[in-house]
Amino acid sequence: MGGCVSISSQSTCSSRSNGERISPSCLWIDMFRRKRSRRTFSDHATTLQHLSSVPNRIITNGRSSSSCIFTQQGRKGINQDAMIVWEDFMAEDVTFCGVFDGHGPHGHLVARKVRDTLPLKLSSFMNSSESKKNGSSANCCNGNVKSDVVDPVKDTPVEDRVESSWREAFLKAYKSMDKELRSHPNLDCFCSGSTAVSVIKQGQNLFIGNIGDSRAILGSKDSNDSMVAIQLTVDLKPDLPKEAERIKRCKGRVFALQDEPEVQRVWLPFDDAPGLAMARAFGDFCLKEYGVISIPEFSHRTLTDRDKFVVLASDGVWDVLSNEEVVEIVSSSPTRSSAARILVEHAAREWKAKYPTSKMDDCAVVCLFLDGKMDTESDYEEQGFSSATLQSNHSGNVVESDDGGQHPEPCLQRNFTVRSAEDNEHYSRVSVEADNGENAGGGEDQNWSGLEGVTRVNSLVQLPRFSEERPRP
């Protein structure tokens, strides 16, 4: 289960310089206010128009002080993948990472909208959660707590309160994100959508929210000092029994086409469309009344010294490379700054070799190194990087064109592997209930291997056709 946040080294009751005592609840209120010598996200306007001026936020191919990211367009048209690393997110010791894989006619726009908006919502709801749960703590920190006032969370461990706050923030942010997409005046999300796998690293803790079939894994060393892969998220697709059960209860249909019997898809009750290959997604409002949801699977993992890096990637990578292969590629990269690019290049070669007649998918990769270190300048020079190139990639001040792809090289698609049952000993995954009381948890049964097999290139088979007899939901 969840471990303590990065304040664990402090005593349970510390003192101010004037000798005034501070309670544990006061300590965790300030978890985002400590060590703010540099300008962070909170020092900037939180509107989308100002995002390009926020430091330590990268969304294009490049690297930061602790990560590298890379995306490559496939051969299906516009690059519909988006990615982000945002260091000093809310505080110096907090990093936000995300990968978003769009699908449908406007999938690239949905993915970028989620990339830009979801972190802001997560920050807003986290701050709101802190304020609500600790309204009485402001007085406590000022020494104004009366002895007869009962603190309702007094006996709750600090780490549990932090995890609870992040869980609440993730759930509210994902719900608000989908609501905003539904009402967006200039973005048609009726048959377009996006996956989202997002990770918050705060000190020695990872908080993860996931919908769709993008995936996060952890590269760690075992007792023999060998690198192993630990899957942090489960691909939330219709072939998971509880996902299929929820969809069917909502009158949606789940079945595979004859020419791809291994791929379960979601269909409208009255039309063989759209054939969505995932059970949860942002957007896709043609299916939201029929069981497709945007409620994330939330989880928390406490990191140890054996944990080395986290990899987030769209299914273009996981469809041709296993978790173990990805960890091996990243750990053996000549430089950390080149790891994401090399991983995508490996995936491209695998796709060409295994499925030469299939259209290749877009790929997006985020590699976050948990020790916060990157390469030396000499390492960059050996790999052919220039300081100017690295600096321009690190700034994040870029303008994307609507055609998406910056690199026309091919990428991939096919999917398998789930987190093993052994990993759950060190991993806490929390399934949440949908607002209508239906089970929103996916893949809770670790004996189920529904993510094995392969998938086709397209997330959607076709767009639905509505008529007067078949009204639009």
Side-chain angles (χ1 to χ4, degrees), residues 144-205:
N144 295 328
V145 174
K146 297 181 180 180
S147 59
D148 59 347
V149 175
V150 178
D151 185 357
V153 295
K154 179 179 179 181
D155 298 326
T156 305
V158 172
E159 58 270 21
D160 289 349
R161 296 205 295 274
V162 175
E163 179 180 348
S164 176
S165 292
W166 276 118
R167 181 189 300 113
E168 180 181 354
F170 267 94
L171 296 177
K172 289 184 176 180
Y174 274 60
K175 180 178 180 179
S176 177
M177 184 74 252
D178 209 44
K179 183 178 180 180
E180 180 172 333
L181 290 173
R182 181 185 289 271
S183 60
H184 197 288
N186 302 316
L187 183 55
D188 184 359
C189 301
F190 189 65
C191 294
S192 297
S194 177
T195 70
V197 57
S198 54
V199 171
I200 289 285
K201 179 185 179 294
Q202 182 201 345
Q204 292 301 110
N205 293 267

Side-chain angles (χ1 to χ4, degrees), residues 396-415:
N397 298 331
V398 297
V399 177
E400 293 180 320
S401 60
D402 285 341
D403 61 3
Q406 305 169 37
H407 299 267
E409 308 264 338
C411 273
L412 331 156
Q413 248 214 9
R414 307 250 157 172
N415 235 344

Side-chain angles (χ1 to χ4, degrees), residues 229-287:
I230 300 173
Q231 188 161 324
L232 299 176
T233 61
V234 170
D235 303 357
L236 297 170
K237 303 197 291 185
D239 53 6
L240 291 173
K242 290 190 176 181
E243 299 293 291
E245 180 184 356
R246 182 191 65 247
I247 292 167
K248 292 174 182 178
R249 285 201 308 266
C250 295
K251 309 304 181 184
R253 296 182 295 159
V254 176
F255 63 86
L257 297 174
Q258 289 184 355
D259 61 348
E260 48 171 21
E262 70 283 351
V263 183
Q264 296 294 312
R265 295 181 179 272
V266 184
W267 310 86
L268 290 165
F270 49 77
D271 192 5
D272 287 345
L276 183 64
M278 60 198 71
R280 306 191 194 190
F282 285 123
D284 295 307
F285 295 112
C286 67
L287 290 170

Side-chain angles (χ1 to χ4, degrees), residues 105-124:
H106 309 292
H108 60 297
L109 299 177
V110 179
R112 294 177 192 173
K113 177 68 175 176
V114 175
R115 176 200 66 195
D116 292 342
T117 307
L118 184 62
L120 304 182
K121 291 184 177 296
L122 194 58
S123 170
S124 175

